[in-house]
Amino acid sequence: MHPWHLRLIKLWNTYKLQSYRPVIPTEVNHARLLGDIAALLQQPVERIETLWAEYQGLMAAKRHISRLDQVGTLSSEEAFVIHCLSALFQPPALIEIGTHQGKSTRRILDSIAFLQLQTAVTCFDIEDLVRYFDAAEATLVLRDVTDSVEQDILDRYAPGIIYLDAHPWHLLKNVIAAVLRREDWLLAIHDCSPILCNPKMTISRDQPSLITARTGHWERHVLAEVFGLDDPLDARLNELESDSHFLRIFGTQHGLGVILPKALLAA
Ligand SMILES: C[S@@+](CC[C@H](N)C(=O)[O-])C[C@H]1O[C@@H](n2cnc3c(N)ncnc32)[C@H](O)[C@@H]1O
């Protein structure tokens, strides 16, 4: 082989290694996931295993996978993490930011009904594309809360769980920072996997409409900045704690991040 040919192959391999190509995994290590949930929630793993067995029955009865898909929305495993949070903390309010057609809301509503909770579900989006739930089941609020997280959510509803699945940088930053200033709200964040993190984002923080899996997501960038790490791909981001909160990113298809106030566990 000519030296120039070898050089070309080397250059191509370097390019491939450096370029960002997200491939969402189809398999999740369930034993590890259940152990990680039990560890974060300080529960016996047997309790989480029982919840998972029940949850699989719920998913099958509601045909979640065939109706709602596993990619581009809450996967079964990610919905199960929120199911566990709901079962343990029984929140009076669950707020979704970024609802789109309501596939993730459907899974959340089915969990709440299954667990026989009185949780009121409120969804924030900037447009109404809802198809998977009706107005009697959850309230859709058409509002951009980027600059009003406290007034429109944290101070308005009884503290509970926020599920964040909208990708603009400023929205992520403001929601995460606002929740971390409090010790009464739980936050679950979609798309925190290193696989969806392009370390060399080619779009600016002010271009919200351009964010897709192909550009890479901002979630890990924002979490790294808020938790004081330089590199969004730093593996320490998957399991961190501050004086007042735990951050855990579960190894699910899209990486589900959970920010949990220590005070809630103590209570
Ligand atoms: C990835 S989709 C949500 C998918 C949905 N959670 C599901 O699993 O089916 C992101 C949604 O965030 C919404 N969005 C974008 N910017 C927003 C903002 N500033 N406030 C609220 N929602 C926003 C978009 O309109 C879009 O519907």
Side-chain angles (χ1 to χ4, degrees), residues 68 71-75 96-106 108 123-129 132 141-146 163-168 171 190-191 208-209 217:
L68 306 173
V71 175
T73 179
L74 272 181
S75 69
E96 180 176 65
I97 305 176
T99 295
H100 199 241
Q101 296 182 337
K103 289 182 174 181
S104 47
T105 328
R106 181 72 269 148
I108 289 166
C123 305
F124 287 84
D125 206 305
I126 48 176
E127 54 181 336
D128 182 356
L129 297 169
Y132 288 91
V141 182
L142 294 181
R143 189 172 307 154
D144 180 348
V145 293
T146 302
Y163 171 53
L164 175 56
D165 188 15
H167 306 304
L171 176 68
H190 207 229
D191 298 319
S209 59
H217 285 289

Side-chain angles (χ1 to χ4, degrees), residues 9-21:
I9 291 175
K10 207 171 155 197
L11 269 174
W12 175 242
N13 282 340
T14 312
Y15 165 74
K16 272 201 305 190
L17 278 176
Q18 285 182 348
S19 57
Y20 162 79
R21 283 191 178 72

